[in-house]
Amino acid sequence: MSFTLILEQSLNGLQFGLMLFLLAAGLTLVFGIMDMINLAHGSLYMIGAFLAATLVQATGSFTLGVLLAIPAAAVVGMALEITILRTLYARDHLSQVLATFALILIINEVVRMIWGSDMPLSAPEALSGPVQLVPGMPYSAYRLLIIGVGLAVAVLLYFVVTKTRIGMLVRAGASNREMALAMGVNIKRLFTLVFGFGAALCAIAGAMLGPIFAVQVGMGENILILAFVVIVIGGIGSIRGALVGSILVGMVDTMGRAFMPALLREVLTPAFASAAGPAIASILIYVLMAGVLFWRPQGLFPARG
Amino acid sequence: MNRALVFGVLVLAVAFPLAMRSLDQVYYVTMASRFLIYALAATSLNLVLGYGGMISFGHAAFVGAGAYTASVMIVEGLPSAWLAWPLAMAVSGLLALAIGAISLRTRGVYFIMITLAFAQMIYYLTISMKAYGGDEGLTLTQRATVGFGLDLKDDITFYYVVLAILVAAVYLISRLVDARFGRVIQAIRENETRMEAIGYPAFRYKLAAFALAGALGGLAGALLANQNSYVNPGILHWTESGKLMIMVILGGVGQLYGGIIGAIGLLGLEELLANHKIGWLAAIYPNYQQHSLLAVGLALLAVVLYAPQGIAGLFSRRGRK
C-alpha cells in the first residue's frame, strides 16, 4: 500500500463524507427538532439531482444550473412540508414511516412521469481532467471541487447555526421543543424554513454527486440509509454530530472498500477474501453504528442534555 | 371480528383454489399463495410491532435468513420440509435472539435504527455468499418434499400447505396474546417501568417475543423461497422490511388479523393496479399502469391521513384500542 494510494482514498472518503453531511444535516434537524422520521429525505436528494440536470441542460452552464436548482428544491421541500408533512408531526413514528414511505413511491413515479427514469449530468468540461496534488498523484479535479463545496457549506452551516438568530431558534427547538414554543418561537414557520433548508442541502448533494453516481429514479434510497446511520452515530439533532458522523462513515466505507479485500488476503485464502472483502467492507459502517449505539446509546454528540 | 365472519372467510379461502381450477385460472392460486405467505410474515412482525410495541425495521432479515436456509437445504440435497422448515425457523429464531439481545437495550428511534443496521449486515452477508449465488441469487431445482403423497410442485397443494401453516400460526398467536405471556407483553408496551416494578423481567419477555416473531418470519421466508423456487438478496433489502411494516400499519397495528388484511390489501392493490386495466383510471391517465406505484403510494397516504387505526381499525368499534 503506497502513500499516494492511501492519500487518494482518504480524499475520496472525505469527499463522500462531506456529501453525506449535506444530507445528514437536514435529516438530523428534521429528526431532532420535529421528532419526525422522514424517509422521503432521499427523495428530495433525487429531486435536487433531477432539477440540477434539467437546469444545467437548459442554461448550458453547470454552475448556473446547480445554483438555480438549490432554491427550486427548497421550494419543493417547503411545499411538501406545508401540504403533507406538517400534519404528521403530532403522529407517532409508525404513521410517519408509513406516510413518508408512501411519499417515496409517489415521488419516484412523479419524477418518472416528468423526466423518465434517468437524466444525463456530467461534470463541467474544465474540471473533467485530473490535477497533480503531489508529484505522481493525479486526482480528479471535480472531486476536489466537491470537497471544496462540502467544506464551504459546512462552514456556512456552522456560522448560521451558531452565530445567527435563526440558528439560535433552531438549536433551541432541537434541544427542547416545548420550551422553545413556550418562549414564543414561531415553531410552525421555523419548521417550514428548516425543511426548505434541508431540501436545499439535499439538492447540493444531489447535483454534486450526480456526475459521479447516476441521476436516476431510486438514487435516494440507499444513500438515505447511510444518512440515517450518520445521524444515529452523531446523535440525533446535532449538526456537529452529523459532521463527525459523516466524515467517519465516509472514511470507513471508502477505506473499507479500498483496502479490506487486500487486508483479508493477508490472513485468509484469496478466493474467500475476494468474495467476503466487499461484503465486510459494506458491513463495517453498520458495525460501527451498532457499536456506537451499544456503548453510547444517544450517539457521539447528544443534542439533548 | 366475530367468529362467524372468520369462519366464512376461511371457507372461502379453502374453496378458492377449487373454484379457480374449474375456471382454469390456476395463476390466481399462485398469486394467493404469495399473499398468504406475506400475510404470515406480516403477522409475525405484528407480534413485535403491535403487541410488543417494538418498532423493528429489520424483519426482512429474518424472512431472508429463513428463505436462504430452506434454499440451501434443497440445493445441498436435503429437500425434506420436515427438516428444512424447522431449521429455517431455528436459524431465524436464533438470529432474532442474538439481534434482539443487543437491540432491545436501546429505546425508541435508536431501536428502529439498530434493527435496521443488523438487517443491512445480514443483507450484505447474503450478497457475499458466492457459493450460493451471491448477488445473482439462487435458483432451486425443486420444491421441498413433505411426504404423505403430497406434491408441493402442484400449486394447489402448495396453497393448502401455506394456508394450513398460516391458520396454525394465527391460532397460535391468538392464544398466545390472550395467555399470560401475551398479557405481559402488552402490559410492557403500555408501561414498561411499572411492569419492571411489579417484578416482571421485561427484557426477557420482549426478547422471547422478538425471537418467536423472527422464527415465524423465517418460516414465511422458507415458504417464499419454495413458492418462487428462487431466492436472492433482494428479499433482505431494507425496503422489504419497510414493506412488511407498511402491511402491518395498513392492516392494523396490534390487531390479530392486521397482518393478513394489510398484506392482502397492499399486494392486492399492487396486483390490481399493475396487471388489470381499470376503465375509469385509464380514462384519466391512459398510461397509468406504468406508474401503478403512484396509486399505491396515494392509497397508503390516504390511509395514514384518514384511517389512523388501519383497515382493521375501521371495522372494530371506535375508541377501542
Side-chain angles (χ1 to χ4, degrees):
Chain A
M1 255 171 269
S2 63
F3 169 72
T4 49
L5 185 62
I6 293 178
L7 182 66
E8 186 184 346
Q9 293 300 335
S10 320
L11 284 175
N12 281 347
L14 180 68
Q15 172 250 314
F16 188 49
L18 284 170
M19 288 300 109
L20 268 182
F21 170 65
L22 296 187
L23 284 176
L27 196 62
T28 203
L29 286 179
V30 169
F31 212 154
I33 302 181
M34 307 161 198
D35 194 25
M36 154 116 176
I37 298 187
N38 180 21
L39 295 181
H41 199 69
S43 300
L44 290 171
Y45 164 79
M46 174 179 71
I47 290 176
F50 271 91
L51 283 172
T54 313
L55 290 166
V56 167
Q57 216 168 51
T59 59
S61 151
F62 186 83
T63 320
L64 194 60
V66 172
L67 285 179
L68 284 174
I70 295 166
V75 169
V76 173
M78 286 194 277
L80 210 57
E81 198 271 346
I82 291 170
T83 50
I84 297 167
L85 296 171
R86 176 174 286 183
T87 58
L88 297 170
Y89 296 150
R91 305 283 293 277
D92 58 359
H93 285 149
L94 277 180
S95 304
Q96 295 167 354
V97 166
L98 177 55
T100 53
F101 194 89
L103 277 179
I104 293 182
L105 297 179
I106 295 171
I107 293 173
N108 274 349
E109 291 310 317
V110 169
V111 165
R112 217 193 294 272
M113 278 179 184
I114 299 176
W115 283 290
S117 291
D118 48 52
M119 279 287 281
L121 177 64
S122 50
E125 200 68 37
L127 292 171
S128 55
V131 289
Q132 297 276 350
L133 271 185
V134 285
M137 196 200 109
Y139 192 75
S140 156
Y142 183 69
R143 283 180 188 262
L144 279 182
L145 173 74
I146 295 186
I147 293 177
V149 168
L151 286 175
V153 174
V155 170
L156 182 75
L157 204 59
Y158 173 78
F159 178 76
V160 169
V161 169
T162 56
K163 302 279 189 248
T164 64
R165 188 177 163 74
I166 199 91
M168 184 184 71
L169 297 182
V170 166
R171 275 181 294 136
S175 61
N176 193 329
R177 185 165 33 150
E178 281 78 21
M179 191 52 83
L181 197 62
M183 301 303 276
V185 177
N186 186 344
I187 286 283
K188 226 174 174 177
R189 207 181 54 197
L190 183 69
F191 282 5
T192 310
L193 215 61
V194 167
F195 215 88
F197 197 63
L201 293 178
C202 277
I204 300 177
M208 298 308 290
L209 285 180
I212 293 184
F213 303 136
V215 179
Q216 60 188 10
V217 170
M219 64 189 276
E221 273 141 50
N222 286 321
I223 206 162
L224 168 78
I225 296 300
L226 287 183
F228 269 114
V229 169
V230 163
I231 68 172
V232 168
I233 288 177
I236 290 166
S238 158
I239 292 277
R240 192 167 46 147
L243 182 61
V244 174
S246 311
I247 307 282
L248 212 57
V249 167
M251 285 290 183
V252 168
D253 195 50
T254 309
M255 294 296 200
R257 270 170 221 284
F259 300 121
M260 191 52 105
L263 279 179
L264 281 181
R265 250 190 295 274
E266 301 286 321
V267 289
L268 297 165
T269 62
F272 184 78
S274 61
I280 293 180
S282 313
I283 289 173
L284 276 183
I285 56 164
Y286 298 103
V287 174
L288 179 71
M289 167 167 144
V292 167
L293 277 182
F294 191 75
W295 280 290
R296 299 200 55 154
Q298 302 289 304
L300 296 176
F301 298 93
R304 292 184 182 82
Chain B
M1 250 175 274
N2 58 41
R3 272 161 186 277
L5 184 59
V6 171
F7 187 71
V9 171
L10 200 55
V11 168
L12 281 179
V14 170
F16 179 74
L18 304 175
M20 286 301 126
R21 186 166 56 187
S22 59
L23 292 171
D24 211 15
Q25 298 278 356
V26 181
Y27 163 76
Y28 288 106
V29 178
T30 315
M31 188 187 83
S33 303
R34 194 166 61 90
F35 286 15
L36 295 184
I37 294 169
Y38 273 101
L40 176 61
T43 302
S44 70
L45 177 61
N46 206 358
L47 186 64
V48 272
L49 193 71
Y51 292 103
M54 298 168 261
I55 306 182
S56 165
F57 203 164
H59 207 63
F62 308 129
V63 176
Y68 264 93
T69 307
S71 306
V72 167
M73 290 291 278
I74 289 177
V75 171
E76 296 295 340
L78 290 166
S80 170
W82 298 102
L83 196 63
W85 296 0
L87 189 70
M89 290 181 75
V91 167
S92 294
L94 287 175
L95 189 66
L97 197 66
I99 291 178
I102 300 172
S103 307
L104 284 169
R105 291 173 199 278
T106 61
R107 311 242 158 273
V109 169
Y110 297 98
F111 180 75
I112 303 180
M113 288 299 144
I114 200 166
T115 48
L116 174 69
F118 279 115
Q120 290 290 95
M121 292 181 207
I122 311 293
Y123 169 68
Y124 286 112
L125 268 183
T126 57
I127 289 183
S128 77
M129 293 196 306
K130 291 281 186 286
Y132 297 112
D135 228 348
E136 307 275 298
L138 191 58
T139 305
L140 307 183
T141 44
Q142 62 173 113
R143 280 183 179 165
T145 53
V146 285
F148 299 118
L150 294 174
D151 183 7
L152 291 189
K153 273 195 287 294
D154 177 43
D155 285 321
I156 292 178
T157 311
F158 188 76
Y159 170 91
Y160 280 120
V161 169
V162 171
L163 182 65
I165 290 175
L166 176 66
V167 169
V170 170
Y171 179 72
L172 173 84
I173 290 178
S174 78
R175 294 303 300 253
L176 195 65
V177 295
D178 282 338
R180 189 182 140 95
F181 177 80
R183 294 285 171 190
V184 172
I185 285 291
Q186 290 170 71
I188 291 172
R189 176 190 66 196
E190 298 303 326
N191 193 334
E192 185 167 344
T193 318
R194 178 176 290 178
M195 289 305 282
E196 286 271 12
I198 299 173
Y200 285 98
F203 178 80
R204 274 188 236 165
Y205 272 94
K206 283 160 76 176
L207 187 57
F210 196 78
L212 178 63
L216 285 175
L219 181 58
L223 293 174
L224 195 61
N226 276 286
Q227 151 99 4
N228 297 334
S229 294
Y230 174 68
V231 61
N232 76 346
I235 64 167
L236 288 96
H237 196 251
W238 74 266
T239 47
E240 286 296 305
S241 294
K243 216 163 146 183
L244 289 174
M245 223 159 135
I246 299 305
M247 288 173 184
V248 173
I249 307 169
L250 183 67
V253 176
Q255 311 260 4
L256 183 59
Y257 301 106
I260 302 177
I261 296 173
I264 294 177
L266 182 65
L267 296 175
L269 188 64
E270 278 181 8
E271 180 73 26
L272 192 68
L273 288 165
N275 296 338
H276 300 267
K277 214 166 178 72
I278 303 169
W280 61 270
L281 269 178
I284 301 171
Y285 191 82
N287 289 336
Y288 85 92
Q289 281 177 316
Q290 287 164 14
H291 303 286
S292 60
L293 285 177
L294 175 63
V296 173
L298 288 173
L300 291 180
L301 200 57
V303 169
V304 188
L305 297 179
Y306 303 111
Q309 299 285 320
I311 298 173
L314 291 177
F315 294 103
S316 58
R317 267 171 289 139
R318 280 195 93 81
R320 214 185 81 198
K321 259 207 122 169

